[in-house]
Amino acid sequence: DVVMTQTPPSLSVAIGQSVSISCKSSQSLVYSDGKTYLHWLLQSPGRSPKRLIYQVSNLGSGVPDRFSGTGSQKDFTLKISRVEAEDLGVYYCAQTTHFPFTFGSGTKLEIK
Amino acid sequence: EVQLVESGGGLVQPGRSLKLSCAASGFTFSNYYMAWVRQAPKKGLEWVATISTSGSRTYYPDSVKGRFTISRDNAKSSLYLQMNSLKSEDTATYYCASLYLRCFDYWGQGVMVTVSS
């Protein structure tokens, strides 16, 4: 199985600051079609997960452009610029290149 | 508005069965792969099953293979998860989710399954 290693496990940030979350996979996430199926999700407190970014860098519908995703092969980063209060929650990376699909263990973002 | 509404959860004894349902609306259900994802209490997300648009292809992790069966009824815009031989480690909130470009797109509110004697 592909192991997704997310760091840091938690972050505390002031409103307006920028943060980055890392996600590293144990195998390349490039699929046979040439695409990379690495995605980022946010689970706000008490809520269901919500898609933020799909295929490394594509913003989901309605997601503010303060969020951005970069990376390739096995090394990926989610950046949040100008953090807002509504950004708190647990961020997960997920890979759907290989079966079984797997998730990172999550990064909890707290607001100072 | 896209809606996914799960139902069928509850308390069940180890070894017994339970069937979850997910009613979809607001999108053309038959055009999308669908999935179940679970989250044990205070834990992370775990993929449970995926089904193709027609239902002809299904995929599972080893942790549930042979015990869980995903199915769908496109005429009813509904997704199902038949869970047999339940174990305590299956205790979790179960979410149904649509898949778009192989990404978990829309999610339901989740339904709790507790496996305990």
Side-chain angles (χ1 to χ4, degrees):
Chain A
D1 297 2
V2 178
V3 176
M4 306 296 288
T5 302
Q6 257 184 265
T7 55
S10 64
L11 281 171
S12 183
V13 60
I15 300 291
Q17 282 190 320
S18 295
V19 295
S20 292
I21 299 170
S22 170
C23 178
K24 296 184 190 296
S25 59
S26 59
Q27 300 176 33
S28 171
L29 299 185
V30 180
Y31 190 53
S32 54
D33 63 4
K35 294 182 170 67
T36 300
Y37 294 100
L38 182 284
H39 323 290
W40 291 95
L41 309 165
L42 166 60
Q43 187 171 29
S44 301
R47 305 293 299 274
S48 304
K50 168 191 169 182
R51 182 189 65 176
L52 290 176
I53 287 174
Y54 63 96
Q55 290 181 31
V56 181
S57 59
N58 297 286
L59 239 51
S61 174
V63 176
D65 60 7
R66 300 182 291 101
F67 292 89
S68 62
T70 58
S72 63
Q73 299 287 333
K74 298 167 55 177
D75 196 348
F76 306 91
T77 301
L78 172 71
K79 182 177 180 180
I80 313 170
S81 303
R82 306 179 308 280
V83 167
E84 298 186 3
E86 65 186 25
D87 299 338
L88 84 158
V90 181
Y91 290 80
Y92 294 96
C93 59
Q95 70 82 22
T96 56
T97 296
H98 305 285
F99 284 107
F101 298 163
T102 49
F103 295 85
S105 53
T107 295
K108 186 174 184 178
L109 179 65
E110 297 176 327
I111 306 296
K112 282 182 185 174
Chain B
E1 178 195 6
V2 171
Q3 278 201 311
L4 295 169
V5 180
E6 302 94 338
S7 60
L11 175 63
V12 61
Q13 292 180 327
R16 303 298 291 265
S17 299
L18 201 63
K19 186 173 184 177
L20 305 182
S21 300
C22 172
S25 60
F27 66 107
T28 307
F29 179 77
S30 58
N31 287 351
Y32 288 81
Y33 275 53
M34 296 294 295
W36 289 96
V37 176
R38 68 185 179 184
Q39 186 170 36
K42 304 295 186 186
K43 298 294 185 182
L45 301 169
E46 180 187 13
W47 169 69
V48 171
T50 289
I51 189 167
S52 62
T53 52
S54 66
S56 61
R57 292 185 299 275
T58 57
Y59 309 86
Y60 307 92
D62 287 346
S63 57
V64 307
K65 194 177 294 182
R67 299 189 300 122
F68 289 12
T69 302
I70 187 172
S71 62
R72 65 192 297 162
D73 184 336
N74 286 340
K76 294 183 178 180
S77 294
S78 292
L79 180 72
Y80 306 101
L81 185 68
Q82 176 68 45
M83 303 185 292
N84 298 332
S85 303
L86 282 161
K87 306 174 182 180
S88 58
E89 52 263 42
D90 295 320
T91 293
T93 296
Y94 285 74
Y95 298 99
C96 73
S98 58
L99 282 165
Y100 174 68
L101 299 177
R102 286 178 81 102
C103 180
F104 303 104
D105 189 4
Y106 291 100
W107 295 67
Q109 85 286 354
V111 62
M112 185 68 199
V113 172
T114 302
V115 184
S116 174
S117 53

